[in-house]
């Protein structure tokens, strides 16, 4: 079986590593900090399933500086977009590997395709994941992992299909760029509102005023991208908030930790797409600049 390297030991990286390890793939987590690599080597990864049942998986762990990849391996890049920029020199040196990019938003798409690797794929995680500590992750909601080929063959998809189960379901998409736009729109419904209001996803449909904002944002984005309305009826957005009611969105988690959010690669990129087609998105633009203002002020929760 192919060895799989997961670069990035956040919520998505740990969760994916656990499911691939469960399918008996040899998995190596690649961390930024040596302390986390040492803890993972010692304790493995503990995954709490949606039903609350814990499972433990033994995986290897190294730091980015120690990364040496044999040919034929699969490399999953599960860092956030901001961290991805410093990784590109390392990725350029990897030969005869297949790459899977798991970033939110749209900005990484064209950058990734400038790399020389034959097989480049993009993923869109529709499941909920929350990192509790260096070695523990909770699966907070069920959902598919969508995969689409950017260039090359289906080598990565075949590996993931072998790991697919009722808690980790794989779905192939025909158009990588379209898939990323769809996920960015979904994130625009949830991430900026939860980050500004400092609430979990479920509050967007439980709080009267938050629900009004969600509806207004939906109407605005569907007017800007009418071709998406069939894919995203409002009921689908409602069900997303319902299904992930206890989730803390990635943007809210970043704000709570005082980290830079992915506001530019998600919301900023969608605003730019709307401008290119002559569409106006004033509500989303206000949310965008409010979050940028909070980041610039350095305000924490």
């Amino acid at each position: 079986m192919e060895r799989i390297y997961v670069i990035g030991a956040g919520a998505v990286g740990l969760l994916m590593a656990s499911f691939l390890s469960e399918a008996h793939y040899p998995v190596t987590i690649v961390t930024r900090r040596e302390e986390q690599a040492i803890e993972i080597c010692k304790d493995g990864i503990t995954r709490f399933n949606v039903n609350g049942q814990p499972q433990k998986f033994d995986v290897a762990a190294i730091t980015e500086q120690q990364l040496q990849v044999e040919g034929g391996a699969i490399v999953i890049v599960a860092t956030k977009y901001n961290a991805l920029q410093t990784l590109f020199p390392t990725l350029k040196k990897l030969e005869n590997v297949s790459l899977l990019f798991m970033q939110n938003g749209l900005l990484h798409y064209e950058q990734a395709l400038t790399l020389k690797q034959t097989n480049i794929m993009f993923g869109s995680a529709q499941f909920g994941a929350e990192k509790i500590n260096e070695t523990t992750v909770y699966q907070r909601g069920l959902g598919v992992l969508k995969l689409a080929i950017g260039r090359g063959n289906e080598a990565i998809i075949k590996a993931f299909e072998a790991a697919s189960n009722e808690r980790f379901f794989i779905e192939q998409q025909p158009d990588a760029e379209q898939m990323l736009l769809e996920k960015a729109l979904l994130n625009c419904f949830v991430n900026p509102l939860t980050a500004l209001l400092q609430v979990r996803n479920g509050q967007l449909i439980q709080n009267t005023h938050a629900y009004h904002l969600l509806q207004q944002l939906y109407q605005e984005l569907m007017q800007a991208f009418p071709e998406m309305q069939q894919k995203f009826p409002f009921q689908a957005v409602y069900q997303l908030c319902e299904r992930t009611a206890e989730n803390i969105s990635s943007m809210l988690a970043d704000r709570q930790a005082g980290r830079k959010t992915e506001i530019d690669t998600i919301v900023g990129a969608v605003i730019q797409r709307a401008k290119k087609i002559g569409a106006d998105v004033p509500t989303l633009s206000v949310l965008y600049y409010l979050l940028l203002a909070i980041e610039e002020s350095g305000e924490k929760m």
Side-chain angles (χ1 to χ4, degrees):
M1 299 179 83
E2 304 95 330
R3 174 160 286 279
I4 297 178
Y5 294 83
V6 181
I7 303 177
V12 171
L14 290 176
L15 194 69
M16 291 178 70
S18 74
F19 279 113
L20 290 164
S21 177
E22 186 175 12
H24 307 297
Y25 279 95
V27 176
T28 298
I29 291 276
V30 184
T31 68
R32 183 173 52 84
R33 293 178 297 102
E34 185 177 9
E35 295 84 358
Q36 186 178 14
I38 291 171
E39 284 199 42
I40 292 173
C41 286
K42 180 168 67 78
D43 299 329
I45 297 172
T46 299
R47 183 186 76 221
F48 282 82
N49 296 314
V50 174
N51 62 6
Q53 184 71 29
Q55 287 183 268
K56 188 173 179 180
F57 305 93
D58 292 325
V59 299
I62 58 176
T63 64
E64 292 174 10
Q65 292 74 24
Q66 297 169 320
L67 180 61
Q68 291 185 336
V69 179
E70 62 265 29
I74 293 172
V75 178
I76 301 171
V77 187
T79 63
K80 293 198 173 182
Y81 175 78
N82 295 330
L84 177 62
Q85 304 314 300
T86 61
L87 270 177
F88 270 108
T90 299
L91 297 176
K92 287 177 181 178
K93 297 175 185 177
L94 301 183
E95 297 182 357
N96 301 316
V97 302
S98 298
L99 294 175
L100 168 60
F101 288 88
M102 289 298 303
Q103 287 65 43
N104 285 323
L106 300 164
L107 295 184
H108 65 293
Y109 176 72
E110 291 184 359
Q111 289 178 303
L113 291 178
T114 64
L115 295 169
K116 64 183 178 181
Q117 282 80 6
T118 301
N119 297 322
I120 296 179
M121 185 161 286
F122 298 88
S124 173
Q126 310 287 316
F127 47 76
E130 182 181 356
K131 177 182 170 183
I132 303 302
N133 58 39
E134 303 283 48
T135 63
T136 305
V137 63
Y138 275 73
Q139 186 177 19
R140 291 299 192 191
L142 296 176
V144 301
L145 170 62
K146 295 183 178 183
L147 299 174
I149 296 171
R151 182 172 69 230
N153 61 36
E154 299 183 351
I156 297 175
I157 289 177
K158 289 177 181 177
F160 274 84
E161 284 177 344
S164 182
N165 59 49
E166 68 278 0
R167 288 176 280 109
F168 188 63
F169 183 71
I170 310 305
E171 182 180 288
Q172 185 173 357
Q173 297 291 301
D175 187 321
E177 190 172 14
Q178 182 72 9
M179 177 191 74
L180 294 175
L181 175 59
E182 291 171 10
K183 177 65 185 300
L185 285 174
L186 274 175
N187 283 335
C188 281
F189 295 132
V190 175
N191 272 296
L193 283 176
T194 54
L196 285 167
L197 298 174
Q198 301 180 19
V199 296
R200 292 178 183 264
N201 294 1
Q203 282 297 307
L204 297 184
I205 57 176
Q206 295 163 9
N207 181 292
T208 303
H209 304 294
Y211 187 56
H212 176 78
L213 280 170
L214 182 64
Q215 289 176 307
Q216 182 175 320
L217 190 58
Y218 175 82
Q219 291 168 3
E220 177 177 288
L221 286 170
M222 290 303 101
Q223 286 174 359
F225 302 97
E227 72 280 6
M228 292 293 185
Q229 192 149 8
Q230 189 172 359
K231 275 190 171 290
F232 295 128
F234 184 73
Q235 186 63 18
V237 178
Y238 186 98
Q239 288 172 348
L240 172 68
C241 295
E242 192 174 46
R243 189 175 67 248
T244 62
E246 294 304 312
N247 283 20
I248 294 173
S249 73
S250 61
M251 211 168 280
L252 175 57
D254 286 338
R255 188 181 171 194
Q256 288 175 334
R259 297 187 297 259
K260 183 176 173 59
T261 70
E262 295 177 298
I263 188 73
D264 279 317
T265 185
I266 297 172
V267 179
V270 169
I271 291 172
Q272 289 303 315
R273 282 291 180 104
K275 284 182 179 178
K276 283 182 182 178
I277 59 175
D280 192 23
V281 285
T283 304
L284 187 64
S285 296
V286 168
L287 300 180
Y288 173 71
Y289 285 109
L290 282 172
L291 279 166
L292 286 179
I294 289 170
E295 284 193 0
E296 186 175 321
S297 72
E299 177 188 336
K300 296 183 180 180
M301 288 185 62

